[in-house]
Amino acid sequence: MSRQSGYTLIELIMVIVLLSIVATVSVRFVGLSTQGALDTSTRQLRALQSVVISEQLTRELREAFPLSIRTNGSCIEWLPLDAGTNYLRRTRGPGFDDIEIAAFAQPPPTGDTRAVIYGYGTSTADLYAASDPGPVSSEIAAIDNSGSPATITLASSHRFSSNSPARRLFVVGEPVSICQSGRFLYRYSGYTPAAVQPEPPPGTPEVLAASVTGTVDFRVLPATLQRAAVVQFTFELESPDGEETTTVSQEVQIRNVP
Protein backbone atom coordinates (compact mmCIF):
# COMPACT_ATOMS: atom_id res chain seq x y z
CA MET A 1 0.00 0.00 0.00
CA SER A 2 1.52 3.39 -1.08
CA ARG A 3 2.10 6.16 1.44
CA GLN A 4 0.43 9.54 0.70
CA SER A 5 2.29 12.86 1.35
CA GLY A 6 0.71 16.22 2.36
CA TYR A 7 0.54 19.05 4.90
CA THR A 8 -0.58 18.68 8.42
CA LEU A 9 -2.96 21.16 9.99
CA ILE A 10 -0.17 22.54 12.17
CA GLU A 11 2.06 23.15 9.14
CA LEU A 12 -0.75 24.91 7.31
CA ILE A 13 -1.43 27.18 10.30
CA MET A 14 2.29 28.02 10.57
CA VAL A 15 2.41 28.94 6.86
CA ILE A 16 -0.65 31.18 7.24
CA VAL A 17 0.85 32.89 10.29
CA LEU A 18 4.18 33.49 8.50
CA LEU A 19 2.44 34.83 5.39
CA SER A 20 0.38 37.16 7.58
CA ILE A 21 3.52 38.49 9.24
CA VAL A 22 5.25 39.04 5.88
CA ALA A 23 2.13 40.74 4.47
CA THR A 24 1.83 43.01 7.52
CA VAL A 25 5.47 44.03 7.31
CA SER A 26 5.20 44.59 3.55
CA VAL A 27 2.07 46.74 3.87
CA ARG A 28 3.66 48.72 6.69
CA PHE A 29 6.82 49.22 4.67
CA VAL A 30 4.88 50.35 1.59
CA GLY A 31 2.71 52.62 3.73
CA LEU A 32 5.70 54.29 5.37
CA SER A 33 7.44 54.70 2.01
CA THR A 34 4.33 56.26 0.48
CA GLN A 35 3.82 58.57 3.47
CA GLY A 36 7.48 59.59 3.31
CA ALA A 37 7.12 60.42 -0.37
CA LEU A 38 3.96 62.43 0.32
CA ASP A 39 5.65 64.32 3.19
CA THR A 40 8.66 65.09 0.99
CA SER A 41 6.38 66.32 -1.79
CA THR A 42 4.47 68.54 0.67
CA ARG A 43 7.71 70.02 2.02
CA GLN A 44 8.96 70.72 -1.49
CA LEU A 45 5.64 72.38 -2.37
CA ARG A 46 5.82 74.61 0.73
CA ALA A 47 9.43 75.46 -0.06
CA LEU A 48 8.44 76.40 -3.62
CA GLN A 49 5.54 78.50 -2.34
CA SER A 50 7.84 80.32 0.08
CA VAL A 51 10.32 81.07 -2.72
CA VAL A 52 7.58 82.41 -5.01
CA ILE A 53 6.07 84.60 -2.26
CA SER A 54 9.39 86.01 -1.07
CA GLU A 55 10.54 86.63 -4.66
CA GLN A 56 7.34 88.50 -5.53
CA LEU A 57 7.64 90.64 -2.40
CA THR A 58 11.33 91.30 -3.09
CA ARG A 59 10.75 92.38 -6.70
CA GLU A 60 7.89 94.71 -5.80
CA LEU A 61 9.78 96.30 -2.89
CA ARG A 62 12.82 96.94 -5.08
CA GLU A 63 10.57 98.92 -7.42
CA ALA A 64 9.17 101.08 -4.61
CA PHE A 65 9.95 104.72 -4.04
CA PRO A 66 12.39 104.17 -1.15
CA LEU A 67 11.13 106.88 1.20
CA SER A 68 7.51 105.70 0.95
CA ILE A 69 7.91 102.24 2.54
CA ARG A 70 6.17 102.05 5.90
CA THR A 71 4.83 99.31 8.15
CA ASN A 72 2.67 98.93 11.22
CA GLY A 73 3.69 95.33 11.91
CA SER A 74 1.06 93.26 10.14
CA CYS A 75 0.93 95.44 6.99
CA ILE A 76 3.60 96.94 4.78
CA GLU A 77 2.80 99.72 2.32
CA TRP A 78 4.71 101.56 -0.42
CA LEU A 79 4.33 103.76 -3.49
CA PRO A 80 5.42 101.91 -6.66
CA LEU A 81 7.97 103.73 -8.80
CA ASP A 82 6.70 104.03 -12.39
CA ALA A 83 9.41 106.19 -13.98
CA GLY A 84 12.22 108.61 -13.34
CA THR A 85 13.95 111.47 -15.15
CA ASN A 86 15.60 114.85 -14.53
CA TYR A 87 13.60 118.02 -14.22
CA LEU A 88 14.68 121.29 -15.83
CA ARG A 89 12.23 123.56 -14.02
CA ARG A 90 9.79 122.98 -11.21
CA THR A 91 6.28 124.42 -11.18
CA ARG A 92 6.11 128.21 -11.18
CA GLY A 93 3.48 130.93 -11.33
CA PRO A 94 0.97 131.86 -12.21
CA GLY A 95 -0.45 128.34 -12.65
CA PHE A 96 2.08 126.21 -10.73
CA ASP A 97 0.92 123.19 -12.74
CA ASP A 98 3.69 122.58 -15.32
CA ILE A 99 7.07 120.87 -14.85
CA GLU A 100 9.74 121.00 -17.53
CA ILE A 101 11.65 117.71 -17.74
CA ALA A 102 14.07 115.70 -19.81
CA ALA A 103 12.01 113.31 -21.92
CA PHE A 104 11.19 109.91 -20.45
CA ALA A 105 12.67 106.85 -22.15
CA GLN A 106 9.15 105.41 -21.81
CA PRO A 107 6.38 107.75 -20.61
CA PRO A 108 4.48 106.49 -17.52
CA PRO A 109 0.68 106.39 -17.35
CA THR A 110 -1.26 109.46 -16.21
CA GLY A 111 -4.33 110.00 -14.03
CA ASP A 112 -3.39 107.85 -11.05
CA THR A 113 0.26 108.90 -10.87
CA ARG A 114 2.06 111.77 -9.14
CA ALA A 115 5.43 113.47 -9.42
CA VAL A 116 7.93 113.40 -6.54
CA ILE A 117 10.94 115.67 -6.08
CA TYR A 118 13.39 114.80 -3.31
CA GLY A 119 11.35 114.10 -0.14
CA TYR A 120 14.22 113.66 2.31
CA GLY A 121 13.70 115.37 5.64
CA THR A 122 9.93 114.93 5.49
CA SER A 123 7.77 112.33 7.20
CA THR A 124 6.38 109.32 5.37
CA ALA A 125 2.89 110.69 5.96
CA ASP A 126 3.75 113.76 3.85
CA LEU A 127 4.50 111.50 0.87
CA TYR A 128 1.00 110.02 1.08
CA ALA A 129 -0.90 113.17 2.05
CA ALA A 130 0.49 115.17 -0.92
CA SER A 131 0.52 118.40 1.07
CA ASP A 132 1.00 121.70 -0.78
CA PRO A 133 3.78 122.74 -0.62
CA GLY A 134 5.36 119.31 -0.35
CA PRO A 135 7.51 116.73 -2.15
CA VAL A 136 4.56 114.96 -3.88
CA SER A 137 2.44 116.71 -6.48
CA SER A 138 -1.22 116.43 -7.29
CA GLU A 139 -2.19 113.85 -9.92
CA ILE A 140 -0.54 114.06 -13.32
CA ALA A 141 -3.08 115.09 -15.95
CA ALA A 142 -0.89 114.83 -19.05
CA ILE A 143 2.68 114.25 -20.23
CA ASP A 144 4.06 115.82 -23.41
CA ASN A 145 7.12 113.67 -24.02
CA SER A 146 7.81 114.98 -27.52
CA GLY A 147 8.07 118.67 -26.69
CA SER A 148 11.27 120.65 -26.34
CA PRO A 149 11.49 120.52 -23.41
CA ALA A 150 9.12 117.73 -22.42
CA THR A 151 6.51 118.75 -19.86
CA ILE A 152 4.34 117.27 -17.14
CA THR A 153 0.95 118.95 -16.61
CA LEU A 154 -0.61 118.52 -13.17
CA ALA A 155 -4.34 118.25 -12.50
CA SER A 156 -4.09 121.14 -10.02
CA SER A 157 -1.49 123.65 -8.87
CA HIS A 158 1.34 122.45 -6.64
CA ARG A 159 4.51 123.90 -5.13
CA PHE A 160 7.42 121.58 -4.37
CA SER A 161 9.00 122.18 -1.00
CA SER A 162 12.64 121.51 -1.97
CA ASN A 163 15.08 120.92 -4.81
CA SER A 164 16.80 117.64 -5.57
CA PRO A 165 20.63 117.98 -5.54
CA ALA A 166 20.74 115.86 -8.70
CA ARG A 167 17.53 117.44 -10.12
CA ARG A 168 15.82 114.04 -10.05
CA LEU A 169 12.07 113.62 -10.54
CA PHE A 170 10.18 110.40 -9.96
CA VAL A 171 6.68 109.33 -10.94
CA VAL A 172 4.85 107.12 -8.42
CA GLY A 173 1.61 105.21 -8.72
CA GLU A 174 -1.19 104.38 -6.30
CA PRO A 175 -0.20 102.67 -3.03
CA VAL A 176 0.32 98.94 -2.69
CA SER A 177 -0.04 97.04 0.60
CA ILE A 178 0.66 93.50 1.80
CA CYS A 179 -1.36 92.57 4.90
CA GLN A 180 -1.97 89.44 6.95
CA SER A 181 -5.49 88.36 7.84
CA GLY A 182 -5.64 85.08 9.74
CA ARG A 183 -4.07 82.33 7.61
CA PHE A 184 -3.94 84.49 4.48
CA LEU A 185 -1.54 87.09 3.11
CA TYR A 186 -3.34 89.64 0.92
CA ARG A 187 -2.12 92.18 -1.63
CA TYR A 188 -4.07 95.45 -1.91
CA SER A 189 -3.73 98.02 -4.70
CA GLY A 190 -5.66 100.73 -6.54
CA TYR A 191 -6.77 102.74 -3.50
CA THR A 192 -6.33 106.39 -2.57
CA PRO A 193 -3.22 107.26 -0.53
CA ALA A 194 -3.80 108.48 3.03
CA ALA A 195 -1.55 110.12 5.61
CA VAL A 196 -2.36 107.36 8.15
CA GLN A 197 -1.55 103.85 6.99
CA PRO A 198 -4.83 101.91 6.57
CA GLU A 199 -5.17 98.45 8.11
CA PRO A 200 -6.44 96.83 6.03
CA PRO A 201 -6.66 99.15 3.00
CA PRO A 202 -9.95 99.57 1.10
CA GLY A 203 -10.63 97.64 -2.08
CA THR A 204 -10.73 94.00 -3.12
CA PRO A 205 -7.72 92.00 -1.89
CA GLU A 206 -5.76 89.47 -3.92
CA VAL A 207 -4.57 86.31 -2.15
CA LEU A 208 -0.77 86.24 -2.10
CA ALA A 209 -0.35 83.27 0.27
CA ALA A 210 -2.47 80.81 2.22
CA SER A 211 -1.70 78.47 5.12
CA VAL A 212 0.17 81.22 6.97
CA THR A 213 0.60 80.48 10.66
CA GLY A 214 1.61 82.81 13.45
CA THR A 215 2.16 86.51 12.82
CA VAL A 216 3.91 87.91 9.77
CA ASP A 217 6.65 90.31 10.83
CA PHE A 218 7.47 93.28 8.59
CA ARG A 219 10.30 95.65 9.56
CA VAL A 220 11.82 98.67 7.83
CA LEU A 221 15.35 99.74 8.76
CA PRO A 222 16.00 103.31 7.57
CA ALA A 223 19.06 104.16 5.50
CA THR A 224 22.31 105.13 7.22
CA LEU A 225 25.59 106.58 5.98
CA GLN A 226 26.98 103.03 5.71
CA ARG A 227 24.08 101.27 3.92
CA ALA A 228 20.82 101.72 2.08
CA ALA A 229 17.43 101.07 3.67
CA VAL A 230 16.57 97.43 4.40
CA VAL A 231 13.18 95.74 4.58
CA GLN A 232 12.95 92.53 6.62
CA PHE A 233 10.00 90.15 6.56
CA THR A 234 9.43 86.78 8.22
CA PHE A 235 6.49 84.39 7.92
CA GLU A 236 5.68 80.70 8.37
CA LEU A 237 3.74 78.36 6.09
CA GLU A 238 1.92 75.43 7.72
CA SER A 239 1.31 71.93 6.35
CA PRO A 240 -2.33 70.83 5.78
CA ASP A 241 -2.25 68.57 8.85
CA GLY A 242 -0.73 71.34 10.98
CA GLU A 243 2.21 69.20 12.07
CA GLU A 244 5.02 70.94 10.15
CA THR A 245 5.92 74.54 9.32
CA THR A 246 8.37 76.19 6.94
CA THR A 247 9.88 79.50 8.10
CA VAL A 248 10.77 82.14 5.52
CA SER A 249 13.01 85.08 6.40
CA GLN A 250 14.18 87.61 3.83
CA GLU A 251 16.02 90.93 3.68
CA VAL A 252 15.55 93.35 0.78
CA GLN A 253 17.94 96.22 0.18
CA ILE A 254 16.23 99.38 -1.07
CA ARG A 255 18.23 101.78 -3.20
CA ASN A 256 17.94 105.37 -2.00
CA VAL A 257 18.30 107.91 -4.80
CA PRO A 258 17.69 111.59 -3.88
Side-chain angles (χ1 to χ4, degrees):
M1 185 175 181
S2 61
R3 184 177 180 182
Q4 295 181 347
S5 62
Y7 296 104
T8 65
L9 181 60
I10 295 176
E11 290 174 333
L12 184 60
I13 293 174
M14 289 180 64
V15 170
I16 294 174
V17 171
L18 290 174
L19 288 176
S20 300
I21 294 172
V22 171
T24 302
V25 172
S26 299
V27 170
R28 182 62 176 168
F29 177 77
V30 172
L32 290 175
S33 300
T34 304
Q35 187 61 46
L38 292 174
D39 291 343
T40 300
S41 176
T42 303
R43 293 188 193 103
Q44 291 176 340
L45 180 59
R46 279 202 315 277
L48 179 59
Q49 289 175 339
S50 65
V51 170
V52 171
I53 296 166
S54 59
E55 183 65 19
Q56 181 174 347
L57 274 171
T58 298
R59 291 189 179 190
E60 290 206 60
L61 286 168
R62 284 178 177 166
E63 295 178 356
F65 183 67
L67 302 179
S68 68
I69 301 174
R70 60 182 180 177
T71 179
N72 55 14
S74 61
C75 285
I76 187 168
E77 185 180 32
W78 66 88
L79 297 173
L81 190 59
D82 289 343
T85 187
N86 291 91
Y87 67 89
L88 308 177
R89 180 183 60 80
R90 300 184 305 171
T91 56
R92 62 182 178 182
F96 290 98
D97 57 358
D98 285 328
I99 309 171
E100 294 181 358
I101 59 170
F104 291 105
Q106 183 175 354
T110 59
D112 295 325
T113 55
R114 297 178 292 165
V116 183
I117 294 179
Y118 205 55
Y120 287 82
T122 60
S123 65
T124 307
D126 289 337
L127 295 174
Y128 287 85
S131 55
D132 186 15
V136 182
S137 73
S138 55
E139 290 188 351
I140 297 175
I143 296 177
D144 181 5
N145 207 49
S146 60
S148 182
T151 57
I152 293 176
T153 301
L154 305 178
S156 59
S157 63
H158 181 81
R159 294 173 176 83
F160 290 97
S161 54
S162 59
N163 275 310
S164 165
R167 303 185 72 83
R168 293 291 293 165
L169 178 142
F170 299 97
V171 176
V172 297
E174 293 181 316
V176 174
S177 287
I178 303 294
C179 297
Q180 180 188 13
S181 178
R183 294 172 55 85
F184 292 91
L185 204 59
Y186 292 107
R187 182 184 185 275
Y188 297 83
S189 62
Y191 59 92
T192 304
V196 178
Q197 183 178 358
E199 183 186 356
T204 303
E206 302 171 359
V207 177
L208 182 64
S211 301
V212 178
T213 183
T215 302
V216 179
D217 184 25
F218 293 109
R219 298 185 183 183
V220 180
L221 307 179
T224 67
L225 295 177
Q226 289 77 29
R227 60 159 175 79
V230 174
V231 174
Q232 299 175 336
F233 57 87
T234 303
F235 60 90
E236 290 186 349
L237 298 179
E238 189 177 44
S239 62
D241 57 12
E243 295 183 357
E244 291 185 351
T245 59
T246 298
T247 302
V248 181
S249 183
Q250 182 85 354
E251 285 190 353
V252 184
Q253 185 174 0
I254 310 298
R255 293 184 61 192
N256 296 271
V257 182

